[in-house]
Amino acid sequence: AQSVSQHNHHVILSEAASLELGCNYSYGGTVNLFWYVQYPGQHLQLLLKYFSGDPLVKGIKGFEAEFIKSKFSFNLRKPSVQWSDTAEYFCAVNTGFQKLVFGTGTRLLVSP
Amino acid sequence: DAGITQSPRHKVTETGTPVTLRCHQTENHRYMYWYRQDPGHGLRLIHYSYGVKDTDKGEVSDGYSVSRSKTEDFLLTLESATSSQTSVYFCAISDLGPTMNTEAFFGQGTRLTVV
């Protein structure tokens, strides 16, 4: 069965710092990869997605992620975070059977 | 936002009682999911549906059952609620687009407390 690992459970950054959140998945076949964000008290919203093609994917709000197939990774990056990026971030994998599996999430706190 | 409505939004129930949560969609999407969200565990898939009357178990299905008699409705039932089922429950929907790839859209969540 596929699984998703997010190794950073809590991250604290100052505004303007760079962000990288790790995501690794275990599945040997073709995957669709996602990053979702959950702002306090809200539901999950899609940040970006990878289906095929260019492994560097750009999403909303200046976020990007790179799919590295050899490392089974899909790390999320942002060059300069803002206070409004404080949220919980979830990596997710869909192996094509439409069974979407999530990681445990990373809580990001950006201090002004 | 996608047309997904979860009801109720909040519920407090007693241990041992049955509870049903409803997810209603207006998008005519084929796939529907129920997740629970707990601190330190992220979102864990309980059950999902790939069509009317077609459902499958997720990773934490024990103590839960589901039904989908219409495309638009996906019901989650806790047969006999326990305190360990206190959680926030999210419904999600997805469908296959022209490229056969899709993303999931989430409802607002239901906060369930079992006392």
Side-chain angles (χ1 to χ4, degrees):
Chain A
Q2 74 257 38
S3 65
V4 180
S5 297
Q6 291 182 244
H7 304 295
N8 313 104
H9 299 296
H10 293 88
V11 173
I12 301 174
L13 295 173
S14 299
E15 273 193 318
S18 63
L19 170 72
E20 181 161 2
L21 301 182
C23 173
N24 289 90
Y25 64 93
S26 63
Y27 184 74
T30 301
V31 293
N32 297 333
L33 298 159
F34 307 85
W35 276 97
Y36 282 83
V37 61
Q38 186 179 32
Y39 298 104
Q42 296 189 24
H43 63 290
L44 275 76
Q45 303 168 45
L46 183 70
L47 264 183
L48 47 78
K49 58 191 176 187
Y50 172 79
F51 292 154
S52 63
D54 189 343
L56 185 61
V57 179
K58 294 191 184 300
I60 61 171
K61 305 185 179 185
F63 286 91
E64 64 179 32
E66 185 175 13
F67 170 52
I68 303 179
K69 188 175 181 179
S70 61
K71 295 185 178 180
F72 298 89
S73 70
F74 190 56
N75 292 354
L76 181 70
R77 300 194 292 250
K78 186 171 184 179
S80 176
V81 296
Q82 301 172 322
W83 175 81
S84 58
D85 293 324
T86 293
E88 190 160 16
Y89 293 80
F90 294 93
C91 182
V93 171
N94 183 337
T95 59
F97 297 102
Q98 302 309 315
K99 191 172 181 179
L100 189 60
V101 176
F102 284 81
T104 53
T106 298
R107 286 186 183 272
L108 172 65
L109 175 63
V110 181
S111 57
Chain B
D1 283 349
I4 309 169
T5 304
Q6 291 186 230
S7 59
R9 294 290 314 279
H10 301 270
K11 186 170 181 67
V12 180
T13 192
E14 293 186 349
T15 299
T17 61
V19 177
T20 295
L21 308 183
R22 180 181 184 235
C23 178
H24 178 79
Q25 60 144 328
T26 57
E27 306 295 323
N28 201 35
H29 279 10
R30 177 179 175 183
Y31 300 93
M32 299 186 74
Y33 309 80
W34 277 108
Y35 292 89
R36 59 177 291 174
Q37 184 178 22
D38 304 287
H41 293 278
L43 275 83
R44 291 180 291 176
L45 182 63
I46 304 171
H47 284 277
Y48 72 109
S49 170
Y50 46 95
V52 173
K53 293 188 170 44
D54 292 323
T55 65
D56 201 358
K57 295 180 180 180
E59 53 192 311
V60 290
S61 59
D62 287 349
Y64 302 94
S65 62
V66 290
S67 67
R68 190 160 178 210
S69 58
K70 299 185 290 186
T71 298
E72 57 266 35
D73 288 323
F74 193 33
L75 304 180
L76 176 71
T77 298
L78 287 65
E79 292 136 9
S80 177
T82 67
S83 58
S84 65
Q85 293 176 312
T86 292
S87 186
V88 179
Y89 291 84
F90 284 98
C91 174
I93 64 173
S94 70
D95 210 354
L96 292 177
T99 60
M100 301 300 285
N101 295 310
T102 187
E103 65 193 72
F105 299 94
F106 283 81
Q108 297 288 336
T110 295
R111 185 174 294 276
L112 176 68
T113 303
V114 183
V115 298

Coordinates of all heavy atoms in Angstrom, one line a residue, chain A residues 9 32 34 36 38 41-46 49 51-52 88 90 94 96-105 107, chain B residues 1 31 33 35 37 40-43 45 48 57-59 90 94-96 99-108:
Chain A
H9 N 7.6 17.9 11.4 CA 6.2 18.0 12.0 C 5.9 19.5 12.3 O 4.8 19.9 12.2 CB 6.2 17.1 13.2 CG 6.4 15.7 12.9 ND1 5.5 15.0 12.0 CD2 7.3 14.8 13.2 CE1 5.9 13.7 11.9 NE2 7.1 13.6 12.6
N32 N 0.4 10.4 -8.9 CA 0.0 11.8 -8.9 C 0.3 12.4 -7.5 O 0.0 11.8 -6.5 CB -1.5 12.0 -9.2 CG -1.8 11.5 -10.6 OD1 -1.0 11.4 -11.5 ND2 -3.1 11.1 -10.8
F34 N 0.4 15.8 -4.7 CA -0.2 17.0 -4.3 C 0.3 17.6 -3.1 O 0.8 16.9 -2.2 CB -1.7 16.7 -4.1 CG -2.5 16.0 -5.2 CD1 -2.4 14.6 -5.2 CD2 -3.2 16.7 -6.1 CE1 -3.1 13.9 -6.3 CE2 -3.8 16.0 -7.1 CZ -3.8 14.7 -7.2
Y36 N -1.4 20.2 -0.2 CA -2.6 20.9 0.2 C -2.2 21.8 1.4 O -1.2 21.4 2.2 CB -3.7 19.9 0.7 CG -4.5 19.3 -0.4 CD1 -4.0 18.2 -1.1 CD2 -5.7 19.9 -0.8 CE1 -4.7 17.6 -2.1 CE2 -6.4 19.3 -1.9 CZ -5.9 18.2 -2.5 OH -6.6 17.6 -3.5
Q38 N -3.8 23.9 4.9 CA -5.0 24.1 5.7 C -4.7 25.3 6.6 O -3.9 25.2 7.6 CB -5.3 22.9 6.5 CG -6.6 23.0 7.3 CD -6.9 21.7 8.1 OE1 -6.0 21.0 8.5 NE2 -8.1 21.4 8.3
G41 N -8.6 26.7 11.2 CA -10.0 26.7 11.2 C -10.7 26.5 9.9 O -11.9 26.6 9.7
Q42 N -9.9 26.2 8.8 CA -10.5 26.0 7.5 C -10.3 24.6 7.0 O -9.6 23.8 7.6 CB -9.8 27.0 6.6 CG -10.1 28.5 6.9 CD -9.7 29.4 5.9 OE1 -9.5 29.1 4.7 NE2 -9.4 30.7 6.2
H43 N -10.9 24.4 5.8 CA -10.7 23.1 5.2 C -9.4 23.1 4.3 O -8.8 24.1 4.2 CB -11.9 22.7 4.4 CG -12.2 23.7 3.2 ND1 -12.6 24.9 3.4 CD2 -12.1 23.5 1.9 CE1 -12.7 25.5 2.2 NE2 -12.4 24.7 1.3
L44 N -9.1 21.9 3.7 CA -7.9 21.8 2.9 C -8.1 22.5 1.5 O -9.2 22.3 0.9 CB -7.5 20.4 2.7 CG -6.6 19.8 3.8 CD1 -7.5 19.5 5.0 CD2 -6.0 18.5 3.3
Q45 N -7.1 23.1 1.1 CA -7.1 23.7 -0.3 C -5.8 23.3 -1.0 O -4.8 23.1 -0.4 CB -7.1 25.3 -0.1 CG -8.2 25.8 0.7 CD -8.0 27.3 1.0 OE1 -7.6 28.1 0.1 NE2 -8.2 27.7 2.2
L46 N -6.0 23.1 -2.3 CA -4.9 22.6 -3.1 C -3.9 23.8 -3.4 O -4.2 24.9 -3.7 CB -5.4 22.2 -4.5 CG -4.4 21.6 -5.4 CD1 -3.9 20.2 -4.9 CD2 -4.9 21.4 -6.8
K49 N 0.0 20.6 -7.8 CA -0.1 19.2 -8.1 C 0.9 18.8 -9.2 O 1.2 19.7 -10.0 CB -1.6 18.9 -8.6 CG -2.0 19.7 -9.8 CD -3.5 19.6 -10.0 CE -3.9 20.6 -11.2 NZ -5.3 20.6 -11.4
F51 N 1.2 15.8 -12.2 CA 0.7 14.6 -12.8 C 1.7 14.0 -13.8 O 1.9 12.8 -13.8 CB -0.6 15.0 -13.6 CG -1.8 15.4 -12.8 CD1 -2.8 16.2 -13.2 CD2 -1.9 14.9 -11.5 CE1 -3.9 16.6 -12.4 CE2 -3.0 15.3 -10.7 CZ -4.0 16.1 -11.2
S52 N 2.3 14.8 -14.6 CA 3.3 14.4 -15.5 C 4.1 15.6 -16.1 O 3.7 16.7 -15.8 CB 2.7 13.6 -16.7 OG 1.8 14.4 -17.4
E88 N -1.0 24.6 8.2 CA -0.5 23.2 8.1 C -0.5 22.7 6.7 O -1.5 23.0 5.9 CB -1.4 22.3 9.0 CG -0.8 20.9 9.2 CD -1.4 20.2 10.4 OE1 -2.5 20.6 10.9 OE2 -0.8 19.2 10.8
F90 N 0.0 19.6 3.9 CA -0.1 18.2 3.7 C 0.4 17.8 2.3 O -0.1 18.3 1.3 CB -1.5 17.7 3.9 CG -2.1 17.9 5.3 CD1 -2.7 19.1 5.7 CD2 -1.9 16.9 6.3 CE1 -3.2 19.3 6.9 CE2 -2.4 17.1 7.6 CZ -3.0 18.3 7.9
N94 N -1.7 9.9 -5.0 CA -2.8 9.2 -5.6 C -2.1 8.3 -6.6 O -1.5 8.7 -7.6 CB -3.7 10.2 -6.3 CG -4.9 9.5 -6.9 OD1 -4.9 8.3 -7.2 ND2 -6.0 10.2 -7.1
G96 N -3.5 6.4 -8.8 CA -4.3 6.2 -10.0 C -5.5 5.4 -9.8 O -6.4 5.3 -10.7
F97 N -5.7 4.8 -8.7 CA -7.0 4.2 -8.3 C -7.9 5.1 -7.6 O -8.8 4.7 -7.0 CB -6.7 2.9 -7.5 CG -5.9 1.9 -8.2 CD1 -4.5 1.7 -8.0 CD2 -6.5 1.1 -9.2 CE1 -3.8 0.8 -8.7 CE2 -5.8 0.1 -9.9 CZ -4.4 0.0 -9.6
Q98 N -7.5 6.4 -7.6 CA -8.3 7.5 -7.0 C -8.3 7.3 -5.5 O -9.3 7.7 -4.8 CB -9.7 7.6 -7.6 CG -9.7 7.8 -9.1 CD -8.8 9.0 -9.4 OE1 -8.8 10.1 -8.8 NE2 -7.9 8.8 -10.5
K99 N -7.4 6.6 -4.9 CA -7.3 6.4 -3.4 C -6.2 7.4 -3.0 O -5.0 7.1 -3.1 CB -7.0 5.0 -3.1 CG -7.1 4.6 -1.6 CD -6.9 3.1 -1.4 CE -7.1 2.7 0.0 NZ -6.9 1.3 0.2
L100 N -6.7 8.5 -2.4 CA -5.8 9.6 -2.1 C -5.3 9.4 -0.6 O -6.1 9.4 0.3 CB -6.5 10.9 -2.3 CG -5.8 12.2 -2.2 CD1 -4.7 12.2 -3.2 CD2 -6.7 13.4 -2.3
V101 N -4.0 9.3 -0.5 CA -3.4 9.1 0.9 C -2.6 10.3 1.2 O -1.8 10.8 0.4 CB -2.6 7.8 0.9 CG1 -1.9 7.6 2.2 CG2 -3.4 6.6 0.5
F102 N -2.7 10.7 2.5 CA -2.0 11.9 3.0 C -0.9 11.6 3.9 O -0.9 10.6 4.6 CB -3.0 12.8 3.7 CG -3.9 13.6 2.8 CD1 -5.1 13.0 2.3 CD2 -3.7 14.9 2.5 CE1 -5.9 13.6 1.4 CE2 -4.5 15.6 1.6 CZ -5.6 15.0 1.1
G103 N 0.1 12.5 4.0 CA 1.1 12.5 5.1 C 0.5 13.0 6.4 O -0.7 13.5 6.4
T104 N 1.3 13.0 7.4 CA 0.8 13.5 8.7 C 0.8 15.0 8.9 O 0.3 15.5 9.9 CB 1.7 12.9 9.8 OG1 3.1 13.2 9.6 CG2 1.5 11.4 9.9
G105 N 1.3 15.7 7.9 CA 1.2 17.2 8.0 C 2.4 17.8 8.6 O 3.1 17.2 9.4
R107 N 3.2 21.6 10.5 CA 2.7 22.9 11.0 C 3.8 23.9 10.8 O 4.9 23.8 11.3 CB 2.3 22.8 12.4 CG 1.0 22.0 12.7 CD 0.6 22.1 14.2 NE -0.6 21.4 14.4 CZ -1.8 21.8 14.3 NH1 -2.0 23.1 14.0 NH2 -2.8 21.1 14.6
Chain B
D1 N -15.4 27.8 -4.5 CA -15.3 26.5 -3.7 C -16.3 25.5 -4.4 O -17.3 25.8 -4.9 CB -15.8 26.7 -2.3 CG -14.6 27.3 -1.4 OD1 -13.5 27.4 -2.0 OD2 -14.9 27.8 -0.3
Y31 N -16.1 10.2 -7.4 CA -15.4 9.7 -6.3 C -15.7 10.5 -5.0 O -15.7 11.8 -5.1 CB -13.9 9.7 -6.5 CG -13.5 8.8 -7.7 CD1 -13.3 9.4 -8.9 CD2 -13.3 7.4 -7.5 CE1 -12.9 8.6 -10.0 CE2 -12.9 6.7 -8.6 CZ -12.8 7.2 -9.9 OH -12.4 6.5 -10.9
Y33 N -14.9 10.6 -0.6 CA -14.0 10.1 0.4 C -14.5 10.6 1.8 O -15.0 11.7 1.9 CB -12.6 10.6 0.2 CG -12.0 10.4 -1.2 CD1 -12.3 11.3 -2.2 CD2 -11.2 9.4 -1.4 CE1 -11.8 11.1 -3.5 CE2 -10.6 9.2 -2.7 CZ -10.9 10.1 -3.7 OH -10.4 9.9 -5.0
Y35 N -12.5 11.2 5.4 CA -11.2 11.2 6.2 C -11.5 11.7 7.6 O -12.5 12.4 7.9 CB -10.2 12.2 5.6 CG -9.7 11.9 4.3 CD1 -10.4 12.3 3.1 CD2 -8.5 11.1 4.1 CE1 -9.9 12.0 1.8 CE2 -8.0 10.8 2.9 CZ -8.7 11.2 1.7 OH -8.2 10.9 0.5
Q37 N -9.3 13.7 10.8 CA -8.1 14.4 11.0 C -7.9 14.5 12.5 O -8.7 15.0 13.3 CB -8.2 15.8 10.4 CG -6.9 16.6 10.6 CD -7.0 18.0 10.0 OE1 -8.0 18.6 9.8 NE2 -5.8 18.5 9.7
G40 N -1.2 15.0 14.9 CA -0.1 14.0 14.8 C -0.3 12.9 13.8 O 0.6 12.1 13.5
H41 N -1.5 12.8 13.3 CA -1.9 11.7 12.3 C -2.2 12.2 11.0 O -2.4 11.5 10.0 CB -3.0 10.9 12.9 CG -2.7 10.1 14.1 ND1 -2.0 8.9 14.0 CD2 -2.9 10.3 15.4 CE1 -1.8 8.4 15.3 NE2 -2.3 9.3 16.1
G42 N -2.4 13.5 10.8 CA -2.8 14.1 9.5 C -4.2 13.6 9.2 O -5.1 13.5 10.0
L43 N -4.4 13.4 7.9 CA -5.7 12.9 7.4 C -5.6 11.4 7.1 O -4.7 11.0 6.4 CB -6.1 13.6 6.1 CG -6.9 15.0 6.4 CD1 -5.8 16.1 6.6 CD2 -7.7 15.3 5.2
L45 N -7.6 8.0 5.7 CA -8.8 7.7 4.9 C -9.6 6.6 5.6 O -9.1 5.6 6.1 CB -8.3 7.1 3.6 CG -9.4 6.7 2.5 CD1 -10.2 7.9 2.1 CD2 -8.7 6.1 1.3
Y48 N -13.9 5.1 1.0 CA -14.1 6.0 -0.2 C -15.1 5.2 -1.1 O -15.3 4.0 -1.0 CB -12.8 6.4 -0.9 CG -12.1 5.3 -1.6 CD1 -12.1 5.3 -3.0 CD2 -11.4 4.3 -1.0 CE1 -11.4 4.3 -3.7 CE2 -10.7 3.3 -1.6 CZ -10.7 3.3 -3.0 OH -10.0 2.4 -3.7
K57 N -12.7 0.1 1.6 CA -12.2 0.6 2.9 C -10.9 1.3 2.8 O -10.1 1.1 1.8 CB -11.9 -0.7 3.8 CG -13.1 -1.4 4.2 CD -12.8 -2.7 5.0 CE -14.0 -3.4 5.4 NZ -13.6 -4.6 6.2
G58 N -10.7 2.3 3.7 CA -9.4 3.0 3.8 C -8.6 2.4 4.9 O -8.8 1.2 5.3
E59 N -7.7 3.2 5.4 CA -6.7 2.6 6.4 C -7.3 2.5 7.8 O -6.7 1.8 8.7 CB -5.5 3.5 6.4 CG -5.7 5.0 6.6 CD -4.5 5.9 6.2 OE1 -3.5 5.6 6.8 OE2 -4.7 6.8 5.5
F90 N -13.6 15.0 7.5 CA -13.7 15.7 6.3 C -14.2 14.8 5.1 O -13.8 13.6 5.0 CB -12.4 16.3 5.9 CG -11.9 17.5 6.6 CD1 -11.1 17.3 7.7 CD2 -12.4 18.7 6.3 CE1 -10.7 18.4 8.5 CE2 -12.0 19.8 7.0 CZ -11.2 19.7 8.1
S94 N -13.8 13.9 -5.9 CA -12.9 14.1 -7.1 C -13.5 13.4 -8.3 O -14.5 12.7 -8.2 CB -11.5 13.5 -6.8 OG -11.5 12.1 -6.7
D95 N -12.9 13.7 -9.4 CA -13.4 13.1 -10.7 C -12.3 13.0 -11.7 O -11.3 13.7 -11.5 CB -14.6 13.9 -11.2 CG -15.5 13.0 -12.0 OD1 -15.3 11.8 -12.2 OD2 -16.6 13.6 -12.4
L96 N -12.5 12.2 -12.7 CA -11.4 12.0 -13.7 C -11.7 13.1 -14.8 O -12.7 13.1 -15.4 CB -11.5 10.6 -14.3 CG -11.1 9.5 -13.4 CD1 -11.3 8.2 -14.1 CD2 -9.7 9.6 -12.9
T99 N -7.6 14.5 -18.8 CA -6.3 13.9 -18.8 C -6.2 12.7 -17.9 O -5.2 12.1 -17.6 CB -5.2 14.8 -18.4 OG1 -5.5 15.3 -17.0 CG2 -5.1 16.0 -19.3
M100 N -7.4 12.3 -17.4 CA -7.5 11.1 -16.5 C -6.9 11.4 -15.2 O -6.6 10.5 -14.4 CB -7.0 9.8 -17.1 CG -7.7 9.5 -18.4 SD -9.5 9.2 -18.2 CE -9.5 7.6 -17.4
N101 N -6.5 12.6 -14.9 CA -5.9 13.0 -13.6 C -6.9 14.0 -12.9 O -7.6 14.7 -13.6 CB -4.6 13.6 -13.8 CG -3.6 12.6 -14.4 OD1 -3.5 11.5 -13.9 ND2 -3.0 13.0 -15.5
T102 N -6.8 14.0 -11.6 CA -7.8 14.8 -10.9 C -7.2 15.2 -9.6 O -6.2 14.7 -9.1 CB -9.1 14.1 -10.7 OG1 -10.0 14.9 -10.2 CG2 -8.9 12.9 -9.8
E103 N -7.8 16.2 -9.0 CA -7.5 16.6 -7.6 C -8.8 16.5 -6.8 O -9.9 16.4 -7.3 CB -7.1 18.1 -7.6 CG -8.1 19.0 -8.1 CD -7.6 20.4 -8.4 OE1 -7.0 20.6 -9.4 OE2 -7.9 21.3 -7.5
A104 N -8.6 16.5 -5.5 CA -9.7 16.3 -4.6 C -10.1 17.7 -4.0 O -9.2 18.5 -3.8 CB -9.4 15.4 -3.4
F105 N -11.4 17.9 -3.8 CA -11.9 19.1 -3.2 C -12.6 18.7 -1.8 O -13.2 17.7 -1.8 CB -13.0 19.8 -4.1 CG -12.4 20.2 -5.4 CD1 -12.5 19.3 -6.5 CD2 -11.8 21.4 -5.6 CE1 -12.0 19.7 -7.7 CE2 -11.2 21.8 -6.8 CZ -11.3 20.9 -7.9
F106 N -12.4 19.5 -0.8 CA -12.8 19.2 0.5 C -13.9 20.0 1.0 O -14.1 21.2 0.7 CB -11.6 19.3 1.5 CG -10.6 18.2 1.4 CD1 -9.7 18.2 0.4 CD2 -10.6 17.2 2.3 CE1 -8.7 17.2 0.2 CE2 -9.7 16.1 2.2 CZ -8.8 16.1 1.1
G107 N -14.7 19.3 1.9 CA -15.8 20.0 2.6 C -15.2 20.8 3.8 O -14.0 20.7 4.0
Q108 N -16.1 21.4 4.5 CA -15.7 22.3 5.6 C -15.4 21.5 6.9 O -14.9 22.0 7.8 CB -16.8 23.3 5.9 CG -17.1 24.3 4.8 CD -16.0 25.3 4.6 OE1 -15.2 25.6 5.5 NE2 -15.8 25.8 3.4

